[in-house]
Amino acid sequence: MDYKNTKAASTTITYDKDFIEAPTNNIYEAITIIAKRAEQISGDLKSELIEKLEEFATYTDSLDEVFENKEQIEVSKFYEKLPKPTAIAVEEWLEGKIYHRNPDVDSNKE
């Protein structure tokens, strides 16, 4: 997923509890689902960042030499400006983009 084009807020905002819990009718279940999605997003962003930083990495044998790599700094600054994974997950939740199911409820229907 392209997290760079998300409409998620980059600052803290307050959400109506009723909107958050509406899909599950349980605020705790909704928050758990959002938290799990935020962990997935965080992992995706971290691996993407590491991959991009590796492109510009310079390896030296000496620990005394420290190079300031401007490309790595720019990439890092870009990722720091992105909305936090929790904000992205909440936005996805409110837009109905997160698939979820409760196995206990689903097994009772059979």
Side-chain angles (χ1 to χ4, degrees), residues 58 60 62-69:
T58 56
T60 59
S62 173
L63 293 175
D64 297 332
E65 297 178 35
V66 176
F67 294 104
E68 184 176 293
N69 193 329

Side-chain angles (χ1 to χ4, degrees), residues 38-95:
E39 287 178 20
Q40 291 173 342
I41 292 169
S42 178
D44 291 347
L45 287 174
K46 182 179 179 181
S47 62
E48 188 177 308
L49 173 61
I50 290 171
E51 182 180 309
K52 292 207 188 258
L53 290 177
E54 286 291 322
E55 293 175 13
F56 303 110
T58 56
Y59 299 102
T60 59
D61 293 338
S62 173
L63 293 175
D64 297 332
E65 297 178 35
V66 176
F67 294 104
E68 184 176 293
N69 193 329
K70 292 185 191 263
E71 290 86 4
Q72 285 181 326
I73 293 170
E74 290 301 316
V75 168
S76 296
K77 283 183 180 180
F78 174 78
Y79 277 88
E80 285 177 4
K81 290 179 184 176
L82 288 177
K84 302 294 182 225
T86 50
I88 297 172
V90 169
E91 189 66 26
E92 288 180 356
W93 177 254
L94 293 175
E95 292 177 358

